[in-house]
Amino acid sequence: MPRIQSTIQTGSAEFRRYYAHNRGLARELHEKQRAARFDRPQKDIERLANHGKMMPRERIEKLLDPGTPFLEFSTLAANMAYDGEAPSASVVTGIGMVQGREVIINANDSSIKGGAWYPLTVKKIVRVLDMAIENRLPVIHLCDSAGGFLPLQSELFPDKYMAGRMFRNQSVLSKMNVKQLALVFGHCTAGGAYIPALSDYSVIVRGTGAVFLAGPPLVKAATGEIVTADQLGGCDLHTQISGTCDYPASTEEEAIAIGRE
């Protein structure tokens, strides 16, 4: 096969002009990606830290094999939607290496509206689960989600490829015997509770992790009963009584270590 010879004149003024222009575009893209990944109000960062929680990308870094890359999908999803309230569509998805095996990672970002799902969050999660089905890749869900963003609830379910598709895809993966692991770091409410419940294995952090369709305020409003989050859907309830979760953990680091095993 003959070698392709380049005729580009790298020393020409035209080349240097195009080169500078494209480098500027690349810098702009990288800055937008950095902002989407890391720029959060300080109060939200402090709120998570006060609860002993890590940011989603910190959790992913500890989950992955040291020194291995993470192929992140759709970093700029929803960045121009919802008045900029949901960078990366409030969820981090991608492919990484855990114990030498490629896995799909689906990580809620609870620094944005408690990890609530916007309509584009749903589409992003559905797409990454489609990839898991297409490629028979196991899935690790890092769960910390308030479920659907209620002001836009009417836009979450009306179509075949909206919120219900997430749970359908989880069921398809189960049928295919493609394993799913859920690490429950925070309160997983409403649709957010379905993710760990439909996974093959679940690890839940004592004190901060919880799985329920509605939290204590709604229980009180509906029935008058006063109940704590732990009593309603915390670690001990789900690992000792309901069986929804399999392994308790004292800290997020311990939950990730159990998950890696």
Side-chain angles (χ1 to χ4, degrees):
M1 180 176 248
R3 182 175 180 179
I4 297 175
Q5 296 292 334
S6 174
T7 60
I8 296 175
Q9 301 296 318
T10 58
S12 70
E14 183 183 44
F15 176 87
R16 289 196 296 269
R17 185 171 68 253
Y18 287 153
Y19 180 80
H21 175 73
N22 288 325
R23 285 297 295 268
L25 292 177
R27 283 193 297 270
E28 183 181 350
L29 171 63
H30 294 155
E31 172 55 26
K32 287 182 177 179
Q33 289 179 318
R34 185 208 61 76
R37 288 167 174 157
F38 301 111
D39 285 358
R40 299 290 185 274
Q42 188 60 34
K43 63 181 179 62
D44 291 327
I45 297 173
E46 292 174 357
R47 171 175 54 82
L48 295 181
N50 290 338
H51 286 93
K53 292 183 177 183
M54 291 183 275
M55 297 291 283
R57 287 179 174 82
E58 292 180 89
R59 292 166 176 164
I60 291 171
E61 184 177 356
K62 290 185 178 296
L63 176 68
L64 298 178
D65 293 345
T68 59
F70 176 58
L71 177 61
E72 184 174 345
F73 303 140
S74 309
T75 310
L76 300 183
N79 272 24
M80 297 178 69
Y82 318 122
D83 296 322
E85 290 183 350
S88 294
S90 306
V91 65
V92 184
T93 64
I95 297 177
M97 298 290 293
V98 177
Q99 296 289 48
R101 183 169 185 178
E102 288 184 343
V103 299
I104 289 284
I105 293 174
N106 166 36
N108 301 131
D109 188 346
S110 59
S111 70
I112 304 168
K113 303 290 186 182
W117 298 335
Y118 288 74
L120 289 176
T121 312
V122 168
K123 285 185 175 290
K124 188 171 173 180
I125 296 173
V126 167
R127 179 63 188 125
V128 81
L129 293 178
D130 282 342
M131 294 178 186
I133 291 170
E134 291 163 8
N135 298 281
R136 300 189 69 90
L137 288 174
V139 182
I140 301 179
H141 304 279
L142 307 186
C143 302
D144 194 350
S145 172
F149 183 59
L150 294 182
L152 297 176
Q153 187 177 29
S154 63
E155 300 177 35
L156 296 179
F157 284 96
D159 189 35
K160 177 180 178 180
Y161 293 99
M162 293 301 285
R165 191 80 174 185
M166 292 189 294
F167 315 130
R168 175 264 187 193
N169 280 357
Q170 283 194 274
S171 301
V172 169
L173 287 167
S174 180
K175 177 183 176 181
M176 294 169 61
N177 200 32
V178 176
K179 298 303 181 185
Q180 297 176 77
L181 165 68
L183 305 181
V184 181
F185 297 114
H187 289 184
C188 297
T189 309
Y194 283 52
I195 299 290
L198 289 170
S199 295
D200 296 279
Y201 305 100
S202 295
V203 184
I204 183 170
V205 179
R206 180 176 284 109
T208 57
V211 177
F212 34 54
L213 293 182
L218 190 55
V219 171
K220 183 179 180 181
T223 69
E225 181 181 359
I226 297 175
V227 63
T228 68
D230 278 340
Q231 291 170 331
L232 188 63
C235 175
D236 291 337
L237 175 90
H238 283 312
T239 57
Q240 299 177 23
I241 299 174
S242 78
T244 300
C245 297
D246 302 289
Y247 300 98
S250 299
T251 63
E252 293 199 358
E253 289 83 356
E254 184 183 2
I256 292 170
I258 295 170
R260 282 183 51 80
E261 289 180 10

